[in-house]
């Protein structure tokens, strides 16, 4: 792989990471509700999910989807249901008062945050299709394994870095104070956006 091809790949991966989606929404809300440290673990889970989809794309999952469209449809339905479930909980609990004692509510465990990030990304099978498109344009059959490992590292770093940044921004006291004053509106907006993304996954 040439340096130019690598830079193109890195640029596409970064663009994919920063594109609005369920992962970014969950990073923002986790930073708001549970703080930066929990947001970091969530970001690591999101990045791990991206690497799983990238590995699937490397090994030709798109060919399986082409041969068995019903499999892709089933994954889309499952992912959409997961996002709709999260959206419903956000909408339902929007009016629950925000806990202000000890500055933040007790956050979920590190493993629970990682797991949430992982499942949030795995709920979107379109990531496999996206990575397949990127790989088809940048890789060939002679690409050495160390290059593939480096590309996976780039994906992991881009997803982690962006979502950690989002969690950090939304964990700041100024952002959090604004959130407290508009909690119901913001939570229901997050819920509505997750629901729309779930519907979009099925529709496209």
């Amino acid at each position: 792989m040439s340096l130019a091809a690598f830079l193109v790949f890195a640029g596409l991966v970064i663009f994919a990471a920063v594109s609005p989606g369920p992962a970014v929404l969950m990073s923002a809300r986790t930073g708001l509700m549970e703080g930066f440290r929990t947001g970091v673990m969530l970001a690591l889970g999101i990045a791990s999910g991206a690497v799983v989809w990238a590995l699937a794309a490397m090994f030709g999952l798109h060919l399986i989807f082409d041969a068995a469209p019903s499999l892709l449809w089933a994954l889309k339905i499952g992912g959409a249901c997961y996002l709709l479930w999260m959206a419903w909980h956000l909408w339902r609990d929007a009016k629950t008062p925000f806990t202000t004692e000890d500055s933040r509510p007790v956050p979920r465990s590190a493993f629970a945050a990682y797991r949430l990030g992982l499942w949030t990304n795995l709920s979107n099978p379109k990531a496999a299709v996206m990575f397949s498109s990127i790989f088809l344009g940048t890789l060939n059959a002679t690409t050495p394994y160390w290059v593939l490992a480096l590309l996976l590292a780039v994906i992991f770093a881009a997803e982690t870095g962006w979502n950690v940044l989002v969690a950090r921004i939304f964990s700041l006291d100024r952002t959090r104070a604004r959130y407290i004053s508009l909690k119901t509106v913001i939570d229901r907006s997050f819920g509505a956006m997750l629901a729309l993304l779930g519907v979009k996954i099925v529709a496209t």
Side-chain angles (χ1 to χ4, degrees):
M1 172 181 268
S2 66
L3 177 60
F6 176 81
L7 293 176
V8 169
F9 176 89
L12 290 172
V13 166
I14 293 171
F15 177 78
V18 304
S19 298
V24 176
L25 289 176
M26 290 307 298
S27 295
R29 192 171 187 279
T30 299
L32 277 169
M33 293 294 296
E34 302 179 58
F36 179 59
R37 290 184 180 180
T38 307
V40 170
M41 292 307 301
L42 180 97
L44 291 172
I46 290 170
S48 297
V51 169
V52 169
W53 283 127
L55 282 169
M58 281 183 178
F59 289 99
L61 186 59
H62 66 290
L63 297 177
I64 298 176
F65 287 159
D66 289 341
S70 58
L71 176 60
L72 177 58
W73 180 249
L75 285 173
K76 284 185 175 183
I77 292 293
C81 287
Y82 179 70
L83 293 180
L84 290 171
W85 176 80
M86 289 195 298
W88 162 245
H89 279 271
L90 281 175
W91 187 277
R92 184 193 64 184
D93 299 333
K95 290 187 176 181
T96 302
F98 187 81
T99 304
T100 56
E101 293 81 3
D102 298 324
S103 76
R104 290 193 187 279
V106 177
R108 71 188 76 221
S109 68
F111 175 74
Y114 177 88
R115 183 178 58 197
L116 175 61
L118 177 65
W119 285 112
T120 296
N121 220 353
L122 292 181
S123 69
N124 186 7
K126 290 179 65 178
V129 178
M130 177 198 68
F131 283 124
S132 295
S133 300
I134 294 175
F135 289 148
L136 285 173
T138 55
L139 302 181
N140 55 54
T142 62
T143 302
Y145 287 113
W146 70 267
V147 173
L148 298 180
L150 179 60
L151 297 180
L152 291 176
V154 170
I155 292 170
F156 187 86
E159 292 283 348
T160 301
W162 173 248
N163 288 291
V164 164
L165 177 61
V166 170
R168 178 55 181 165
I169 291 172
F170 280 86
S171 69
L172 297 174
D173 288 338
R174 180 179 298 179
T175 307
R176 181 169 168 267
R178 188 63 174 167
Y179 166 75
I180 292 173
S181 66
L182 297 170
K183 180 181 183 299
T184 299
V185 174
I186 293 174
D187 278 8
R188 287 190 169 172
S189 297
F190 274 128
M193 286 187 285
L194 281 176
L196 287 173
L197 288 168
V199 172
K200 183 180 178 182
I201 287 174
V202 175
T204 56

